[in-house]
Amino acid sequence: MKGEILKLLKETDGYVSGQELCRRFGVSRTAVWKVMNQLKEEGYEIEAVRNRGYALKGSADVLSAEEIMSSIHTEWAGRQVVYFDETDSTNIQARRLAEQKAPHGTLVVADRQNGGRGRRGRGWTSPSGVGIWMSLVLRPKISPASASMLTLVAALSVREGIEKETGLLAGIKWPNDLVLNGKKICGILTEMSTELMEIQYVVPGIGINVNQTEFPDEIKETAASLYLESGKIWKRSGLIAAIMEAFEKNYDIFLETGDMSGLMEEYNQYLVNRGKEVCVLAPQGEYRAMADGINREGSLLVTRADGTREEIISGEVSVRGIYGYV
Ligand code: BTN
């Protein structure tokens, strides 16, 4: 009931009478009053006026299943939310839920991760109250070879969601980091399970640095948060909702062709590596090349000094800027 009351308060411009709430939810005035107190304790600013009822005047950066669900307006992406105040890793939890038949679109969110995982076996710093640590359960009917493109779809959607919600224009560092002013604000780790060459599920795990004021020494040269780059504190639930809406739209565009054809142009528009010299970290050795943009398969096309073109497949090879991270 708390979630539904919250949703109603959010949707109402003005006051909702106590009587109306009692009637709708079939509960007593005391029960409604208790829910209002709970919401206030969680950080919602609720005004109660005699003879008019209750109105939601604002809220702190609250993160809970009810808050996220009442913010998301999608068909399937994030319609089911599993929320943890603390967990090991939302990717681990999403995979566990997917094994237990969680539906396509289930979103797992944590306020804090004590075993956050990054790419290449690295960890991911995930403190409480400041970041978005979330993983989505997807069940696409595509070949396993195409699944890595979903990471690019996720990167594009996070970029779009951030712009819609904050106006900040992040760039994409191929394949799936988001950067603001040359520093990393978001990383994505996509994991997949297949059986007999068929995808059981794909889990893109998204980590976004939202309101951090500082970073540990090991990453402070390359990491940033939306707060540090804009000077403003942002509401995580609003960002999550905007990202889910963008993801749902982009996922459908991706499924139309099963590749990046419909999203390639937008992706390349925001690609920070584009037209820049990058260092390609290939297993056979490093080399320098000019990054041209991605192709339909999501591979990065680069041109070497001797004019030869190479296609770099995401997940196999990584690139970094020659003067630093970007
Ligand atoms: C990277 O190394 O750039 C990828 C980082 C991915 C971090 C996110 S946070 C939510 C999800 N859960 C994890 O344990 N990792 C991903």
Side-chain angles (χ1 to χ4, degrees):
M1 178 179 69
K2 191 167 77 180
E4 284 163 297
I5 291 187
L6 181 61
K7 195 156 188 270
L8 190 64
L9 287 173
K10 279 188 175 184
E11 284 164 0
T12 311
D13 202 15
Y15 294 82
V16 185
S17 77
Q19 201 180 2
E20 165 70 4
L21 287 165
C22 295
R23 193 193 54 77
R24 265 203 202 212
F25 299 106
V27 294
S28 66
R29 274 183 178 263
T30 319
V32 168
W33 180 79
K34 275 193 186 153
V35 170
M36 294 302 168
N37 279 345
Q38 279 172 14
L39 290 172
K40 278 186 203 164
E41 260 167 41
E42 284 172 23
Y44 295 97
E45 205 186 310
I46 290 170
E47 196 174 72
V49 176
R50 197 185 284 273
N51 296 329
R52 291 178 84 181
Y54 300 95
L56 183 62
K57 294 289 175 185
S59 67
D61 174 31
V62 182
L63 204 61
S64 63
E66 288 97 354
E67 169 60 26
I68 299 166
M69 279 193 279
S70 63
S71 306
I72 292 181
H73 304 284
T74 52
E75 296 270 315
W76 54 266
R79 295 301 307 170
Q80 298 232 18
V81 174
V82 178
Y83 171 79
F84 297 92
D85 281 328
E86 178 166 354
T87 189
D88 43 6
S89 149
T90 54
N91 266 36
I92 295 177
Q93 295 304 329
R95 295 186 67 159
R96 184 181 58 80
L97 289 162
E99 298 289 350
Q100 295 167 0
K101 309 271 175 289
H104 175 72
T106 302
L107 179 67
V108 181
V109 183
D111 179 50
R112 172 174 134 81
Q113 296 182 121
N114 52 42
R117 301 192 306 182
R119 301 209 313 155
R120 299 175 192 284
R122 287 189 279 248
W124 182 262
T125 317
S126 322
S128 159
V130 290
I132 293 175
W133 325 125
M134 64 180 180
S135 305
L136 199 55
V137 174
L138 301 174
R139 300 188 182 279
K141 293 196 174 33
I142 55 171
S143 84
S146 305
S148 66
M149 282 184 262
L150 285 168
T151 313
L152 280 71
V153 177
L156 202 58
S157 310
V158 176
R159 197 220 65 77
E160 206 175 313
I162 290 176
E163 182 181 356
K164 180 160 173 257
E165 200 55 18
T166 68
L168 294 168
L169 289 175
I172 304 172
K173 176 183 175 284
W174 184 85
N176 49 15
D177 286 355
L178 290 193
V179 294
L180 259 179
N181 303 323
K183 290 192 165 188
K184 177 161 167 171
I185 51 146
C186 165
I188 301 172
L189 171 70
T190 299
E191 297 181 287
M192 162 169 75
S193 164
T194 57
E195 233 168 69
L196 300 170
M197 288 312 286
E198 211 174 83
I199 291 181
Q200 298 301 304
Y201 58 83
V202 180
V203 168
I206 300 171
I208 310 171
N209 300 327
V210 182
N211 291 325
Q212 281 96 329
T213 52
E214 56 183 6
F215 286 95
D217 283 348
E218 320 82 80
I219 53 173
K220 73 171 179 220
E221 295 303 318
T222 50
S225 68
L226 299 182
Y227 167 75
L228 287 172
E229 298 309 304
S230 66
K232 285 189 193 151
I233 295 285
W234 300 101
K235 275 192 205 166
R236 288 170 293 167
S237 60
L239 280 159
I240 294 173
I243 293 165
M244 286 302 114
E245 278 155 36
F247 187 82
E248 190 169 277
K249 172 184 65 96
N250 291 329
Y251 182 85
D252 285 346
I253 298 175
F254 167 76
L255 278 194
E256 271 173 33
T257 54
D259 64 19
M260 294 298 288
S261 306
L263 299 167
M264 198 165 79
E265 201 178 310
E266 188 184 335
Y267 187 97
N268 282 333
Q269 186 187 337
Y270 293 104
L271 186 64
V272 288
N273 316 93
R274 199 174 191 191
K276 290 219 178 99
E277 201 173 5
V278 291
C279 184
V280 180
L281 311 169
Q284 316 82 281
E286 296 184 11
Y287 63 88
R288 286 183 180 194
M290 196 64 92
D292 303 322
I294 62 159
N295 63 9
R296 285 162 199 273
E297 282 78 44
S299 303
L300 184 69
L301 302 172
V302 299
T303 309
R304 298 175 81 144
D306 63 4
T308 47
R309 289 196 99 191
E310 308 271 357
E311 201 177 293
I312 308 173
I313 300 169
S314 109
E316 291 177 10
V317 176
S318 65
V319 299
R320 64 174 158 72
I322 54 166
Y323 301 116
Y325 164 66
V326 176

